[in-house]
Amino acid sequence: KAGVTQTPRYLIKTRGQQVTLSCSPISGHRSVSWYQQTPGQGLQFLFEYFSETQRNKGNFPGRFSGRQFSNSRSEMNVSTLELGDSALYLCASSLEAGAVTGELFFGEGSRLTVL
Amino acid sequence: AQSVTQLDSQVPVFEEAPVELRCNYSSSVSVYLFWYVQYPNQGLQLLLKYLSGSTLVESINGFEAEFNKSQTSFHLRKPSVHISDTAEYFCAVSPRGHSTDKLIFGTGTRLQVFP
């Protein structure tokens, strides 16, 4: 069974640009969550999608957005990039949004560098 | 609201020595507890979890963690570490009855095992 796939793995952008990251969850998983990982802040929850609907959103500005498609694949977009957006962006999938076992399956992440 | 504190950002240890990675949490409601591990250049993987029942939980690779409600702790231990255990370890909590979007991570502890 294929794991969570994130593309691209690495990318470099300049301030003011925008970026789109893609995540394909494990087959059969309908919930996709996004996290930002930085050395100083650790893992910060961005948002979760289930059945093409955003269920919950973390404390990030509106420049961060996402969506989920009917096949459960998800994208996140960051507009007007700032230096502080440099981070590893992790996508995680789970079977159901209502799952309480806490087992998230993570991809390897997309490492974004903003110059 | 919940919070997680991992007191040690780095733990250096020699191979075959015992190790303990500390995790304390704060919550006004009952919680589920988790340890995730992140190997270099990879996403996070669930190591072990406490949902209910026995307060001592074990992983397949020799780690164990004990839920201590009175001390609000969930420390991770291994009696004899291996070079391959070098990774970053994240403690996480979620309130009982809630979905994975409520998973709160600690800032991580980097375990470095030396030969």
Side-chain angles (χ1 to χ4, degrees), chain B residues 10-43:
Chain B
Q10 294 188 64
V11 174
V13 64
F14 287 107
E15 195 172 18
E16 297 183 7
V19 71
E20 177 180 83
L21 306 183
R22 295 179 292 170
C23 172
N24 288 89
Y25 69 92
S26 173
S27 177
S28 57
V29 300
S30 297
V31 296
Y32 299 128
L33 294 154
F34 312 88
W35 277 99
Y36 279 80
V37 58
Q38 184 178 32
Y39 297 104
N41 300 313
Q42 293 187 27

Side-chain angles (χ1 to χ4, degrees), chain B:
Chain B
Q2 290 72 42
S3 66
V4 179
T5 301
Q6 292 183 247
L7 295 166
D8 306 302
S9 59
Q10 294 188 64
V11 174
V13 64
F14 287 107
E15 195 172 18
E16 297 183 7
V19 71
E20 177 180 83
L21 306 183
R22 295 179 292 170
C23 172
N24 288 89
Y25 69 92
S26 173
S27 177
S28 57
V29 300
S30 297
V31 296
Y32 299 128
L33 294 154
F34 312 88
W35 277 99
Y36 279 80
V37 58
Q38 184 178 32
Y39 297 104
N41 300 313
Q42 293 187 27
L44 278 74
Q45 305 170 32
L46 181 66
L47 186 62
L48 45 75
K49 61 186 177 185
Y50 170 76
L51 303 181
S52 64
S54 172
T55 57
L56 184 66
V57 291
E58 299 176 353
S59 72
I60 58 173
N61 58 352
F63 282 95
E64 64 178 30
E66 186 161 20
F67 169 52
N68 188 319
K69 187 176 181 179
S70 62
Q71 296 185 9
T72 60
S73 68
F74 192 55
H75 301 330
L76 181 69
R77 303 183 182 94
K78 189 170 184 179
S80 176
V81 294
H82 190 267
I83 294 283
S84 60
D85 293 324
T86 294
E88 187 143 22
Y89 292 79
F90 293 90
C91 182
V93 301
S94 71
R96 283 184 177 273
H98 287 270
S99 61
T100 51
D101 62 325
K102 299 296 185 186
L103 201 59
I104 305 298
F105 287 90
T107 51
T109 297
R110 185 171 299 278
L111 174 64
Q112 187 147 16
V113 182
F114 295 94

Side-chain angles (χ1 to χ4, degrees), chain A residues 5-53:
Chain A
T5 304
Q6 291 189 246
T7 57
R9 288 292 312 279
Y10 303 91
L11 66 166
I12 299 174
K13 294 284 186 178
T14 57
R15 280 182 300 175
Q17 288 187 309
Q18 67 93 26
V19 66
T20 299
L21 308 177
S22 179
C23 171
S24 293
I26 291 173
S27 178
H29 285 194
R30 298 199 292 162
S31 174
V32 174
S33 300
W34 288 89
Y35 288 82
Q36 181 195 64
Q37 185 181 16
T38 58
Q41 300 294 319
L43 284 124
Q44 302 289 313
F45 172 75
L46 279 157
F47 24 65
E48 181 189 11
Y49 287 88
F50 178 76
S51 293
E52 302 178 65
T53 301

Side-chain angles (χ1 to χ4, degrees), chain A residues 20-94:
Chain A
T20 299
L21 308 177
S22 179
C23 171
S24 293
I26 291 173
S27 178
H29 285 194
R30 298 199 292 162
S31 174
V32 174
S33 300
W34 288 89
Y35 288 82
Q36 181 195 64
Q37 185 181 16
T38 58
Q41 300 294 319
L43 284 124
Q44 302 289 313
F45 172 75
L46 279 157
F47 24 65
E48 181 189 11
Y49 287 88
F50 178 76
S51 293
E52 302 178 65
T53 301
Q54 187 181 87
R55 290 189 65 252
N56 202 1
K57 191 177 192 305
N59 190 26
F60 279 82
R63 300 185 297 108
F64 292 81
S65 63
R67 58 178 176 170
Q68 187 180 32
F69 302 95
S70 58
N71 61 358
S72 294
R73 190 177 71 84
S74 177
E75 289 181 347
M76 68 162 281
N77 183 277
V78 188
S79 62
T80 320
L81 283 166
E82 301 176 359
L83 296 179
D85 296 333
S86 294
L88 181 66
Y89 290 88
L90 292 166
C91 167
S93 74
S94 59

